[in-house]
Amino acid sequence: MITKPKGTYDLYGEDTKIYDYVLDTFRGECSLNNYELIKTPIFESSTLFHRGIGETTDIVTKETYDFKDKGGRDLTLRPEGTAGVVRCLIENKLYANTNNYLKYYYYGPMFRYERPQSGRFREFNQFGVEVFGKMNPYIDAEVINLGVKYFLALGIENVKIKINNLGSKSDREKYREALIGYLKPHIDELCEDCKVRLEKNPLRVLDCKVDSDKEFFKNVPKIEDYLCDESKDYFNELLDNLNALEIEYEVDNSLVRGLDYYDYAVFEFVTDDEKLKGASTICGGGRYNDLVSTLGGPDLGGVGFAIGYERLAEIVKTLGLVKTSDPVDVYVVPVTENELSDAFIIGCMLKDAGYKTEIDYRDTSIKNKLSHANKLDVTYIVIVGEEELKHYEVKLKDAVTKEEKLVKINDLVDELNINF
Ligand code: ATP
Ligand code: MG
């Protein structure tokens, strides 16, 4: 038997209803905010992610699926959505005809070579938004509010927001010096990965899941002590906007996120769902003012987030937020093979009239067909028999009350309209 690759999953049956619910609700929320759909390739040039996400991030050093195609091109399955959207924005000059904000949403599969566990897969799905334009604390608040309203629309209430200020490039430069100065004397105590991170990208040490519990970490310099007034003012305005919308949050100085392109505000939406220990972040995002120019575009700021579908689906399932039954309006049953062609036409007519219809095509007894219909979640059964057909009639049976009546085929849709 050929089995699915490690870290992937099949989606079928009732779980597809959760996917539809979560995606449809997301589309609804994005549309309400006037965000447009954007769809970019699942694989891109490897350089896009190396340059965009950062050479020293875990995602790029350990987690990407890289391959050469038959033409010898270096390609990577996208590990996240932002870099591709930014590439598309630049390549198609989407910013050319407007000086207003550009607002997009996307969804689709992402790929990371990670250790699979509950809420962590190698192929997983993200839904995200990106807004491009001049840095503005109202826009950041709008993006966070969209996330808040989305989780509420799904029916999930206990989602917590963590937010931090990473400041400007020069703030981080100063902070970087301070971090190196503080951590160097502890280099022997750092994990192997962090020894390398300390040289190349010391902020990443803060994101380390191995080292962050160690004793010397308690007094590690805090980014907030290195922020200039402009960065502080911007962040405070953002927090004021969140307060005005009565959005609750916790400022968390240790939050740095796993991608290098973030600056100023970074945030996460976290759940306390029991099953998702170690994978409790269901949404991550922030501002990235330099990414567009780093990738060769104009000086255009950006802000966005990505929501992890699988973790969200787990919560939606636990809370029972989706009605997984999906009743069939009409089940059309020919009494014998001879009535199948009439049943087929009648069934198709009912679909044209907007009724969800299933036709029983099987070569089996009427008893079998009806007992199958009774097992399904069906509202009406239409029985197509030889005698009735002679009078252009069928039997319409209410699957719940079991009441039956003869109805002219021409009147069938009207009759259903009255009853539905
Ligand atoms: P984590 O710290 O949980 O690894 P991350 O910082 O790598 O998350 P992002 O790259 O910001 O996450 O992605 C945003 C969201 O996508 C995450 O909050 C999570 O819900 C989801 N996500 C990330 N990696 C995976 C994965 N391997 N499987 C399933 N969902 C994932
Ligand atoms: Mg990760």
Side-chain angles (χ1 to χ4, degrees):
M1 186 176 61
I2 300 170
T3 56
K4 61 186 178 306
K6 188 171 176 188
T8 66
Y9 64 93
D10 301 310
L11 193 68
Y12 54 85
E14 291 188 349
D15 289 344
T16 61
K17 305 252 177 346
I18 297 179
Y19 184 83
D20 284 344
Y21 172 66
V22 168
L23 180 56
D24 290 347
T25 310
F26 184 65
R27 283 176 183 282
E29 213 51 51
C30 290
S31 156
L32 194 65
N33 283 272
N34 200 26
Y35 288 43
E36 249 176 57
L37 177 66
I38 191 161
K39 240 169 142 356
T40 60
I42 282 174
F43 57 85
E44 297 265 7
S45 296
S46 301
T47 15
L48 173 66
F49 300 115
H50 288 236
R51 210 183 292 163
I53 299 173
E55 296 282 3
T56 53
T57 56
D58 277 1
I59 296 180
V60 166
T61 53
K62 299 187 203 152
E63 298 175 0
T64 50
Y65 279 88
D66 304 308
F67 62 101
K68 268 194 200 304
D69 74 0
K70 293 195 170 68
R73 297 171 193 89
D74 286 310
L75 299 171
T76 296
L77 296 183
R78 63 181 186 194
E80 55 92 61
T82 306
V85 171
V86 171
R87 198 260 320 126
C88 167
L89 173 94
I90 299 168
E91 190 171 340
N92 299 294
K93 294 198 173 55
L94 299 180
Y95 47 82
N97 296 320
T98 176
N99 55 16
N100 205 344
Y101 288 93
L102 294 156
K103 302 178 177 186
Y104 301 105
Y105 76 94
Y106 64 82
Y107 59 87
M110 307 295 162
F111 304 83
R112 294 184 196 174
Y113 191 78
E114 298 204 71
R115 197 171 63 77
Q117 53 185 286
S118 168
R120 205 174 279 288
F121 296 86
R122 289 183 174 172
E123 178 181 350
F124 60 99
N125 286 275
Q126 284 185 338
F127 304 158
V129 303
E130 313 290 354
V131 179
F132 299 97
K134 196 166 175 287
M135 174 156 99
N136 180 337
Y138 284 103
I139 291 290
D140 300 33
E142 174 180 298
V143 165
I144 294 173
N145 188 40
L146 193 157
V148 170
K149 294 291 147 62
Y150 171 56
F151 291 118
L152 286 177
L154 287 175
I156 303 174
E157 276 165 5
N158 54 348
V159 177
K160 295 198 174 63
I161 299 176
K162 289 184 180 175
I163 188 165
N164 191 19
N165 186 1
L166 295 182
S168 67
K169 216 179 195 169
S170 72
D171 295 341
R172 276 200 312 289
E173 208 39 59
K174 277 184 249 153
Y175 181 53
R176 186 192 146 95
E177 297 294 306
L179 260 186
I180 297 178
Y182 179 84
L183 290 171
K184 264 237 164 99
H186 298 283
I187 191 151
D188 293 337
E189 297 163 68
L190 293 175
C191 74
E192 289 311 306
D193 283 341
C194 282
K195 284 187 177 121
V196 180
R197 289 179 185 133
L198 184 59
E199 291 303 321
K200 292 190 173 160
N201 191 347
L203 254 77
R204 290 264 70 81
V205 177
L206 299 178
D207 198 30
C208 178
K209 285 162 181 126
V210 184
D211 285 339
S212 54
D213 290 336
K214 293 182 182 160
E215 191 57 31
F216 66 89
F217 239 83
K218 290 202 176 114
N219 296 317
V220 82
K222 288 194 164 63
I223 179 81
E224 61 180 343
D225 297 326
Y226 297 84
L227 299 171
C228 67
D229 287 344
E230 194 209 352
S231 305
K232 282 186 194 159
D233 290 347
Y234 157 80
F235 192 67
N236 286 332
E237 278 180 51
L238 167 56
L239 297 187
D240 285 344
N241 294 339
L242 297 180
N243 292 335
L245 296 173
E246 296 180 8
I247 293 172
E248 285 178 28
Y249 53 80
E250 178 202 328
V251 177
D252 177 352
N253 289 129
S254 65
L255 187 69
V256 289
R257 315 272 318 111
L259 308 102
D260 269 357
Y261 49 65
Y262 290 118
D263 51 18
Y264 296 94
V266 286
F267 54 86
E268 285 186 349
F269 288 58
V270 184
T271 160
D272 50 12
D273 192 284
E274 276 294 303
K275 280 197 209 134
L276 290 171
K277 282 205 178 104
S280 60
T281 304
I282 50 173
C283 171
R287 175 156 283 283
Y288 48 88
N289 280 349
D290 289 333
L291 182 60
V292 180
S293 57
T294 304
L295 293 174
D299 184 18
L300 204 62
V303 59
F305 65 63
I307 293 169
Y309 166 71
E310 289 71 18
R311 298 177 194 182
L312 197 53
E314 195 65 53
I315 299 168
V316 166
K317 205 170 187 169
T318 313
L319 297 178
L321 298 176
V322 186
K323 187 169 80 39
T324 40
S325 80
D326 194 3
V328 171
D329 296 330
V330 194
Y331 199 82
V332 183
V333 182
V335 175
T336 71
E337 272 294 277
N338 299 333
E339 291 80 42
L340 180 56
S341 63
D342 288 285
F344 178 65
I345 308 262
I346 291 167
C348 291
M349 174 187 87
L350 293 174
K351 284 189 256 186
D352 288 345
Y355 290 106
K356 180 166 167 172
T357 303
E358 175 71 46
I359 303 163
D360 198 325
Y361 295 106
R362 294 170 307 158
D363 183 12
T364 182
S365 71
I366 180 71
K367 196 164 158 251
N368 267 343
K369 290 176 189 172
L370 289 175
S371 82
H372 181 67
N374 286 331
K375 275 186 224 132
L376 296 176
D377 194 359
V378 169
T379 311
Y380 284 97
I381 303 169
V382 166
I383 302 161
V384 186
E386 191 184 1
E387 272 313 302
E388 292 84 357
L389 278 178
K390 283 181 189 155
H391 307 103
Y392 306 103
E393 286 175 343
V394 289
K395 239 185 235 164
L396 178 65
K397 183 173 174 179
D398 185 316
V400 180
T401 64
K402 312 285 178 206
E403 274 170 47
E404 287 185 3
K405 62 170 145 183
L406 288 171
V407 180
K408 291 263 183 258
I409 294 171
N410 282 342
D411 297 338
L412 189 55
V413 170
D414 286 343
E415 183 66 32
L416 286 169
N417 282 344
I418 297 166
N419 294 321
F420 266 94

